[in-house]
Amino acid sequence: MFKIRHITPEDAEACFITQHANHYHEGGLYSENAMKFISKFLTDSWVATVDDKVVGHVIGLIQNLKDPNIPEEYHNLIAYNPLDNCVHPDYRMNGISGALTTHLCESYPMIKTQIHADNTAAEHILLTRDFKIVREISNFYKDGGGTKILIREG
């Protein structure tokens, strides 16, 4: 069974390894130094552990939703923004990503996230937790793929 807890600086290396172990898309991966910074200063980030071994994480922060890609009705609201939800390939299909997302839903009253349009696994996890797609943008990423912006209130 796995546990979810706040990230600590001691988790940086494991999070770096997890993110770089067959990540969904190669663009935008964090360096080891960036992960050290994240684990120290982005204190609204979380890890999932199995037998005290970090096997997944959500890197996130609280932010104002004033962004031209977000519908105006959400501007100036404050939301949690998960920047990266990642599970090590050896531990996928065990409900860890879904449990991390459920934990976020229980912890934050509003969440805004953005996913690659072809990431159907992430989309399924989010939609089954009452996220709504509020905007789709074609040709958003370097690979030509689109993005979906999703928000969950409540």
Coordinates of all heavy atoms in Angstrom, one line a residue, residues 27-78:
G27 N 9.7 16.8 -23.5 CA 9.8 18.2 -23.3 C 9.4 18.7 -21.9 O 8.4 18.2 -21.4
G28 N 10.1 19.6 -21.3 CA 9.7 20.2 -20.1 C 10.0 19.4 -18.8 O 9.5 19.7 -17.7
L29 N 10.9 18.4 -18.9 CA 11.4 17.7 -17.8 C 12.3 18.6 -16.9 O 13.0 19.4 -17.4 CB 12.1 16.4 -18.2 CG 11.3 15.4 -18.9 CD1 12.2 14.2 -19.2 CD2 10.1 15.0 -18.2
Y30 N 12.1 18.4 -15.6 CA 12.9 19.2 -14.6 C 14.3 18.6 -14.5 O 14.5 17.4 -14.4 CB 12.3 19.3 -13.3 CG 10.9 19.9 -13.3 CD1 9.8 19.2 -12.8 CD2 10.7 21.2 -13.8 CE1 8.5 19.8 -12.8 CE2 9.5 21.8 -13.8 CZ 8.4 21.1 -13.3 OH 7.1 21.7 -13.4
S31 N 15.3 19.5 -14.3 CA 16.7 19.1 -14.0 C 16.8 18.6 -12.6 O 15.8 18.9 -11.8 CB 17.7 20.2 -14.3 OG 17.5 21.2 -13.3
E32 N 17.9 18.0 -12.2 CA 18.0 17.6 -10.8 C 18.1 18.8 -9.9 O 17.5 18.8 -8.8 CB 19.2 16.7 -10.7 CG 19.3 15.9 -9.3 CD 20.2 14.8 -9.3 OE1 20.9 14.5 -10.3 OE2 20.3 14.1 -8.3
N33 N 18.7 19.9 -10.3 CA 18.8 21.1 -9.5 C 17.4 21.7 -9.4 O 17.1 22.2 -8.3 CB 19.8 22.1 -10.1 CG 21.2 21.8 -9.8 OD1 21.5 21.1 -8.8 ND2 22.1 22.2 -10.6
A34 N 16.6 21.7 -10.5 CA 15.3 22.2 -10.4 C 14.4 21.4 -9.4 O 13.7 22.0 -8.6 CB 14.6 22.2 -11.8
M35 N 14.6 20.1 -9.4 CA 13.9 19.3 -8.5 C 14.3 19.5 -7.0 O 13.4 19.5 -6.1 CB 14.1 17.8 -8.8 CG 12.9 16.9 -8.4 SD 11.3 17.3 -9.0 CE 11.2 16.5 -10.5
K36 N 15.5 19.8 -6.8 CA 16.0 20.2 -5.5 C 15.3 21.5 -5.0 O 14.9 21.6 -3.9 CB 17.5 20.4 -5.4 CG 18.3 19.1 -5.5 CD 19.8 19.3 -5.6 CE 20.5 17.9 -5.8 NZ 21.9 18.1 -5.9
F37 N 15.2 22.5 -5.9 CA 14.6 23.7 -5.6 C 13.1 23.5 -5.3 O 12.5 24.0 -4.4 CB 14.7 24.7 -6.8 CG 14.0 26.0 -6.7 CD1 14.6 27.1 -6.1 CD2 12.7 26.1 -7.1 CE1 13.9 28.3 -5.9 CE2 12.0 27.3 -6.9 CZ 12.6 28.4 -6.3
I38 N 12.4 22.7 -6.2 CA 11.0 22.4 -6.0 C 10.8 21.8 -4.7 O 9.9 22.1 -3.9 CB 10.5 21.5 -7.2 CG1 10.4 22.2 -8.5 CG2 9.2 20.8 -6.8 CD1 10.3 21.4 -9.7
S39 N 11.6 20.8 -4.3 CA 11.3 20.0 -3.1 C 11.5 20.9 -1.8 O 11.0 20.6 -0.8 CB 12.2 18.8 -3.0 OG 13.6 19.2 -2.9
K40 N 12.3 22.0 -2.0 CA 12.5 22.9 -0.9 C 11.5 24.0 -0.8 O 11.1 24.4 0.3 CB 13.9 23.5 -0.9 CG 14.3 24.3 0.2 CD 15.8 24.7 0.2 CE 16.1 25.5 1.5 NZ 17.5 25.9 1.5
F41 N 11.1 24.6 -2.0 CA 10.3 25.8 -1.9 C 8.9 25.6 -2.4 O 8.0 26.5 -2.1 CB 11.0 26.9 -2.8 CG 12.3 27.3 -2.2 CD1 13.5 26.9 -2.7 CD2 12.3 28.1 -1.0 CE1 14.7 27.3 -2.2 CE2 13.5 28.4 -0.4 CZ 14.7 28.1 -1.0
L42 N 8.5 24.6 -3.2 CA 7.2 24.4 -3.6 C 6.5 23.5 -2.7 O 6.3 22.3 -2.9 CB 7.1 23.9 -5.1 CG 7.6 24.9 -6.2 CD1 7.3 24.3 -7.5 CD2 7.0 26.2 -6.0
T43 N 6.2 24.0 -1.5 CA 5.7 23.2 -0.4 C 4.3 22.6 -0.5 O 3.9 21.9 0.3 CB 5.8 24.0 0.9 OG1 5.1 25.2 0.8 CG2 7.3 24.3 1.2
D44 N 3.6 23.0 -1.6 CA 2.3 22.4 -1.9 C 2.5 21.3 -2.9 O 1.6 21.0 -3.7 CB 1.3 23.5 -2.4 CG 0.7 24.2 -1.3 OD1 -0.1 23.6 -0.5 OD2 0.9 25.4 -1.2
S45 N 3.6 20.6 -2.8 CA 3.9 19.5 -3.7 C 3.8 18.2 -2.8 O 4.1 18.3 -1.6 CB 5.3 19.6 -4.3 OG 5.3 20.7 -5.2
W46 N 3.5 17.1 -3.4 CA 3.2 15.9 -2.7 C 4.0 14.7 -3.3 O 4.3 14.7 -4.5 CB 1.7 15.6 -2.7 CG 0.9 16.7 -2.2 CD1 0.5 17.8 -2.9 CD2 0.5 16.9 -0.9 NE1 -0.2 18.6 -2.0 CE2 -0.2 18.1 -0.8 CE3 0.6 16.1 0.3 CZ2 -0.8 18.6 0.4 CZ3 0.0 16.6 1.5 CH2 -0.7 17.8 1.5
V47 N 4.3 13.7 -2.5 CA 4.8 12.4 -3.0 C 4.0 11.3 -2.5 O 3.3 11.3 -1.5 CB 6.3 12.2 -2.5 CG1 7.2 13.3 -3.1 CG2 6.5 12.2 -1.0
A48 N 4.0 10.2 -3.3 CA 3.5 8.9 -2.9 C 4.6 8.0 -2.6 O 5.6 7.9 -3.4 CB 2.6 8.4 -4.0
T49 N 4.5 7.2 -1.5 CA 5.6 6.3 -1.2 C 5.0 4.9 -1.0 O 3.9 4.7 -0.6 CB 6.3 6.7 0.2 OG1 5.3 6.7 1.2 CG2 6.9 8.1 0.0
V50 N 5.9 3.9 -1.3 CA 5.6 2.5 -1.0 C 6.8 2.1 -0.2 O 8.0 2.2 -0.6 CB 5.5 1.7 -2.3 CG1 5.4 0.2 -2.0 CG2 4.3 2.2 -3.1
D51 N 6.6 1.6 1.0 CA 7.6 1.2 1.9 C 8.7 2.3 2.1 O 9.9 2.0 2.0 CB 8.3 -0.1 1.5 CG 7.3 -1.3 1.5 OD1 6.4 -1.3 2.3 OD2 7.4 -2.1 0.6
D52 N 8.3 3.5 2.2 CA 9.1 4.7 2.4 C 9.9 5.0 1.1 O 10.8 5.9 1.2 CB 10.1 4.6 3.6 CG 9.3 4.5 4.9 OD1 8.3 5.2 5.0 OD2 9.7 3.7 5.8
K53 N 9.7 4.4 0.0 CA 10.3 4.7 -1.3 C 9.4 5.6 -2.1 O 8.2 5.3 -2.3 CB 10.6 3.4 -2.0 CG 11.2 3.7 -3.4 CD 11.4 2.4 -4.2 CE 12.0 2.7 -5.6 NZ 12.1 1.5 -6.4
V54 N 9.9 6.8 -2.5 CA 9.1 7.7 -3.4 C 8.9 7.0 -4.7 O 9.8 6.7 -5.4 CB 9.8 9.0 -3.5 CG1 9.0 9.9 -4.5 CG2 9.9 9.7 -2.1
V55 N 7.6 6.9 -5.1 CA 7.3 6.2 -6.4 C 6.4 7.1 -7.3 O 6.1 6.8 -8.4 CB 6.6 4.9 -6.2 CG1 7.5 3.9 -5.4 CG2 5.3 5.0 -5.4
G56 N 6.0 8.3 -6.8 CA 5.2 9.2 -7.5 C 5.2 10.5 -6.9 O 5.5 10.7 -5.7
H57 N 4.8 11.6 -7.6 CA 4.7 12.9 -7.1 C 3.8 13.8 -7.8 O 3.4 13.5 -9.0 CB 6.1 13.6 -7.1 CG 6.7 13.8 -8.4 ND1 7.6 13.0 -9.0 CD2 6.5 14.7 -9.4 CE1 8.0 13.4 -10.2 NE2 7.3 14.5 -10.4
V58 N 3.3 14.8 -7.2 CA 2.6 15.9 -7.8 C 3.4 17.2 -7.4 O 3.5 17.5 -6.2 CB 1.2 16.1 -7.3 CG1 0.5 17.3 -7.9 CG2 0.4 14.9 -7.7
I59 N 3.9 17.9 -8.4 CA 4.6 19.2 -8.2 C 3.5 20.2 -8.4 O 2.9 20.2 -9.5 CB 5.8 19.4 -9.2 CG1 6.8 18.2 -9.1 CG2 6.4 20.7 -9.0 CD1 7.3 18.0 -7.7
G60 N 3.3 21.1 -7.5 CA 2.3 22.1 -7.7 C 2.5 23.4 -6.9 O 3.4 23.4 -6.0
L61 N 1.7 24.4 -7.2 CA 1.7 25.6 -6.4 C 0.4 26.3 -6.5 O -0.5 25.9 -7.3 CB 2.8 26.5 -7.0 CG 2.8 26.8 -8.5 CD1 1.9 27.9 -8.9 CD2 4.2 27.1 -9.0
I62 N 0.2 27.3 -5.6 CA -1.0 28.1 -5.6 C -0.8 29.3 -6.5 O 0.2 29.9 -6.4 CB -1.4 28.5 -4.1 CG1 -1.3 27.4 -3.2 CG2 -2.7 29.3 -4.1 CD1 -2.5 26.4 -3.3
Q63 N -1.8 29.6 -7.3 CA -1.6 30.8 -8.2 C -2.9 31.5 -8.5 O -4.0 30.9 -8.4 CB -0.9 30.4 -9.5 CG -1.7 29.5 -10.4 CD -0.9 29.2 -11.7 OE1 -1.2 28.2 -12.3 NE2 0.0 30.0 -12.1
N64 N -2.8 32.7 -9.0 CA -3.9 33.5 -9.5 C -4.2 33.0 -10.9 O -3.3 32.8 -11.7 CB -3.6 35.0 -9.5 CG -4.7 35.9 -9.9 OD1 -5.4 35.6 -10.9 ND2 -4.9 36.9 -9.1
L65 N -5.5 32.8 -11.2 CA -5.9 32.3 -12.5 C -6.0 33.3 -13.6 O -6.6 33.1 -14.6 CB -7.2 31.5 -12.4 CG -7.1 30.2 -11.6 CD1 -8.5 29.5 -11.6 CD2 -6.0 29.3 -12.1
K66 N -5.4 34.5 -13.4 CA -5.5 35.5 -14.5 C -4.5 35.1 -15.6 O -3.3 35.3 -15.5 CB -5.2 36.9 -14.0 CG -5.5 38.0 -15.0 CD -5.4 39.4 -14.4 CE -5.8 40.4 -15.5 NZ -5.8 41.7 -14.9
D67 N -5.0 34.5 -16.6 CA -4.2 34.0 -17.7 C -5.0 34.1 -19.0 O -6.2 33.7 -19.0 CB -3.8 32.5 -17.4 CG -3.0 31.8 -18.4 OD1 -3.3 32.0 -19.6 OD2 -2.1 31.1 -18.1
P68 N -4.4 34.5 -20.1 CA -5.2 34.7 -21.3 C -5.8 33.3 -21.8 O -6.8 33.3 -22.6 CB -4.3 35.3 -22.3 CG -2.9 35.1 -21.7 CD -3.1 35.0 -20.3
N69 N -5.2 32.2 -21.4 CA -5.7 30.9 -21.9 C -6.8 30.4 -21.0 O -7.4 29.3 -21.3 CB -4.6 29.9 -21.9 CG -3.6 30.2 -23.0 OD1 -3.9 30.7 -24.1 ND2 -2.3 29.9 -22.8
I70 N -7.2 31.1 -20.0 CA -8.2 30.6 -19.1 C -9.5 31.5 -19.3 O -9.3 32.7 -19.4 CB -7.8 30.7 -17.6 CG1 -6.6 29.7 -17.4 CG2 -8.9 30.3 -16.6 CD1 -5.9 29.8 -16.1
P71 N -10.6 30.9 -19.3 CA -11.8 31.7 -19.5 C -11.9 32.9 -18.5 O -11.6 32.6 -17.3 CB -13.0 30.8 -19.4 CG -12.4 29.4 -19.8 CD -11.0 29.5 -19.3
E72 N -12.4 34.0 -18.9 CA -12.4 35.2 -18.0 C -13.1 35.0 -16.7 O -12.8 35.6 -15.7 CB -12.9 36.4 -18.8 CG -12.6 37.7 -18.2 CD -12.9 38.9 -19.1 OE1 -12.5 38.9 -20.3 OE2 -13.6 39.8 -18.6
E73 N -14.1 34.2 -16.7 CA -14.9 34.0 -15.5 C -14.1 33.4 -14.3 O -14.5 33.6 -13.2 CB -16.1 33.0 -15.8 CG -15.6 31.6 -16.1 CD -16.7 30.7 -16.6 OE1 -16.9 30.7 -17.9 OE2 -17.4 30.0 -15.8
Y74 N -12.9 32.9 -14.6 CA -12.0 32.3 -13.6 C -10.9 33.3 -13.2 O -10.2 33.1 -12.3 CB -11.4 31.0 -14.1 CG -12.4 29.9 -14.2 CD1 -12.8 29.6 -15.5 CD2 -13.0 29.3 -13.2 CE1 -13.8 28.6 -15.7 CE2 -14.0 28.3 -13.3 CZ -14.3 27.9 -14.6 OH -15.2 26.9 -14.8
H75 N -10.8 34.4 -14.0 CA -9.7 35.4 -13.7 C -9.8 35.9 -12.3 O -10.8 36.2 -11.8 CB -9.7 36.5 -14.7 CG -9.2 36.1 -16.1 ND1 -8.9 37.0 -17.0 CD2 -9.0 34.9 -16.6 CE1 -8.5 36.4 -18.1 NE2 -8.5 35.1 -17.9
N76 N -8.6 36.0 -11.7 CA -8.4 36.5 -10.3 C -8.9 35.6 -9.2 O -9.0 36.0 -8.1 CB -9.0 37.9 -10.2 CG -8.2 38.9 -11.0 OD1 -7.0 38.9 -11.1 ND2 -8.9 39.8 -11.7
L77 N -9.3 34.4 -9.6 CA -9.5 33.4 -8.6 C -8.2 32.7 -8.2 O -7.3 32.6 -9.1 CB -10.6 32.4 -9.0 CG -12.0 32.9 -9.3 CD1 -12.9 31.8 -9.9 CD2 -12.6 33.6 -8.1
I78 N -8.1 32.1 -7.0 CA -6.9 31.5 -6.6 C -7.2 30.0 -6.7 O -8.2 29.4 -6.2 CB -6.6 31.9 -5.2 CG1 -6.4 33.4 -5.0 CG2 -5.3 31.1 -4.7 CD1 -5.3 34.0 -5.9

